Amino acid sequence: MNPQSAIPIPQSLFSPAPRFIWPDGKRCAVMLCFDVDGETTALSEDPALARRLTTMSQCEYGPRVGVPRLLGLLEHLGVPATFFIPSFIAEHHSAMTRAVATAGHEIGAHGHLHEKLAHLSPDQEEAVLAKSLHILEGIAGARPAGHRAPWFEINPGTPDLLKAHGLLYSASLMGDDVPFLHANGLVEIPGQWMLEDWEQFAFNAEPAWGFVPENCEKVYDLWMREYEAMRDFGCCFTLTLHPWLSGRPSRVRLLERIVRDIQADGSAWFATGSEIARYVLAHPAARRETDLDAPI
Ligand SMILES: [Zn+2]
């Protein structure tokens, strides 16, 4: 163990040049994302689920109980986060949405009713985006700068649509582990399914969602091993959590432990999506390209 750190020193002897030069000598960016899907988790799948009160109540747990608890933890730890909120949820949980903004966290767009973009025509996709930006700005007091597509899936025209509506960044693709620029100058902050809580914790009997909920010890190990390696490779650790899952008590403790151990490590820059995007745009030489071929 490194006496300065709660994290064991990796035994790997393989340490390539960092993929990205982060500010202030930090070796890794950490973007904590909360996708506050709430009731749209069910309603976007089937509006008839509105009559399933238990399923709906599990979804409601996120904005009603999970978010206030997580806001308390973030304040206690002194770290910023980015909340992607479907505008239907912002409308129906406006006090929750304003509390996120008042606490100084970033609010990004996440559809209106958590629509799957692949199922929308270009006109429908633009209408949903415009509506969601308008509603979020009206409630939170600031126009969103970032967009996370529901289910992470975007269409070929989405980057130009986001740019045309004044957004600074997208946080949906998975083809890299450091930010990159789309051809139109939109910043992409990539994520990955391994750093997502749905695969670890989601479960509903009917409709059948998720799997057997995992033990937090296993998830700590999964995520911290990835953090340690991403730190050594100079990556962006984009962790995506849903308050209806990660607002449950033992998982709030899990997040506290992860953030505390990353803070103790001293290598990470905790930043919102906007902060990362602005840094990327201001430091075009920060990214070390490794592509051997042009994309298809
Ligand atoms: Zn979502």
Side-chain angles (χ1 to χ4, degrees), residues 35-37 86 110 114 148-151 242:
D35 290 7
V36 192
D37 299 342
H110 198 47
H114 206 258
R148 154 78 51 75
W151 304 99
H242 298 79

Side-chain angles (χ1 to χ4, degrees), residues 34-38 40-41 44 84-86 110-111 114 148-152 196 198 240-242 244:
F34 295 95
D35 290 7
V36 192
D37 299 342
T40 67
T41 309
S44 64
F84 294 103
I85 308 179
H110 198 47
H114 206 258
R148 154 78 51 75
W151 304 99
F152 283 90
E196 241 259 358
W198 180 282
T240 296
L241 307 174
H242 298 79
W244 74 272

